[in-house]
Each structure stands twice: as C-alpha cells, then as structure tokens.
C-alpha cells in the first residue's frame, strides 16, 4: 500500500506564485516517478509534471516555463513550484506515484489551487 500526503495549494491572484508538496510512504519501491496531475470542472485529468527517481522531468505543455518540479529522494517528497499563475491553472492538483517495477499508479486526495483574475 502507498500513501500520498499533499500540502500547499490555496488562493492566489493571477501572476502570483504558489508551492505544493507531496510525501509518499509505504510500498513505494526504490524506482518510481512522482508528480502532479490536475482536474478542473468539466475537463479531463491533465498532466502537470513528473519527476523520476533519477531526476528526469516531464511537463505538460500548458505549464512549461512556469512550473518547476523537484524531489527529495531521501524524504520521498516531490515539490511543485508554480509561478506566473493564470486563472486557467485553477484546478484540484493531485499527487501521483507510479512504481516502475509494476507500472502501478497511486493517487493522493488532491489539493485545491484557485487563481483569481
């Protein structure tokens, strides 16, 4: 079993910055990918960013150049720094862990990010 505990999020004005973090525990395995997806009302779940144990990153097109993902392997924690936020970034941000050994995905409960115009 894997547990993902998210923190951060909240309310910010357009152009502002916000940070999220997520700590994984349990049977996470040595090699995995940690990241964030987001869901906005009426829209499908969308990739935000992921980072592998080795530090390889992947970003969704809509956040490239504005968001930065990083991780602390010793603490099994992933960080998402969001800058130049736009109203269309408003969504529930959901932490994700994928175990590379079996490609199994685990999801957090999500944290709300609201960007006002």
């Amino acid at each position: 079993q894997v547990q993902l505990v998210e923190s951060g999020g909240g309310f910010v004005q357009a152009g502002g910055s916000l940070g999220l973090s997520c700590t994984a525990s349990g049977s996470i395995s040595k090699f995995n990918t940690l990241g964030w997806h987001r869901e906005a009302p009426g829209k499908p779940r969308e990739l935000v960013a992921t980072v592998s144990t080795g530090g390889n990153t992947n970003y969704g097109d809509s956040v490239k150049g504005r968001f930065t993902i990083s991780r602390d392997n010793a603490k099994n924690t992933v960080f998402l720094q969001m800058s130049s936020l736009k109203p269309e970034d408003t969504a529930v941000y959901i932490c994700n862990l994928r175990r590379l050994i079996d490609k199994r995905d685990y999801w957090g409960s999500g944290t709300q990010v609201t960007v006002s115009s």
Side-chain angles (χ1 to χ4, degrees):
Q1 196 66 294
V2 172
Q3 294 80 42
L4 298 169
V5 178
E6 299 140 326
S7 62
F11 184 92
V12 65
Q13 289 188 330
S17 299
L18 209 57
L20 304 178
S21 65
C22 173
T23 298
S25 61
S27 303
I28 61 176
S29 88
K30 182 178 180 180
F31 298 105
N32 59 68
T33 297
L34 278 168
W36 297 88
H37 289 65
R38 65 187 183 187
E39 283 186 353
K43 296 183 180 180
R45 185 170 292 188
E46 176 188 23
L47 167 70
V48 176
T50 63
V51 57
S52 70
T53 309
N56 293 319
T57 58
N58 183 38
Y59 292 91
D61 289 339
S62 62
V63 306
K64 285 180 181 177
R66 300 187 297 122
F67 291 11
T68 301
I69 193 167
S70 61
R71 66 184 286 167
D72 183 336
N73 287 333
K75 297 181 179 180
N76 297 316
T77 299
V78 61
F79 306 94
L80 183 69
Q81 182 62 39
M82 304 180 288
S83 302
S84 302
L85 283 160
K86 306 174 182 179
E88 50 263 45
D89 293 318
T90 295
V92 175
Y93 284 69
I94 306 165
C95 183
N96 164 256
L97 180 143
R98 170 169 291 187
R99 294 194 312 200
L100 299 186
I101 191 170
D102 57 7
K103 302 293 191 296
R104 185 167 178 176
D105 283 308
Y106 296 87
W107 300 92
S109 57
T111 184
Q112 178 70 44
V113 171
T114 301
V115 184
S116 66
S117 57

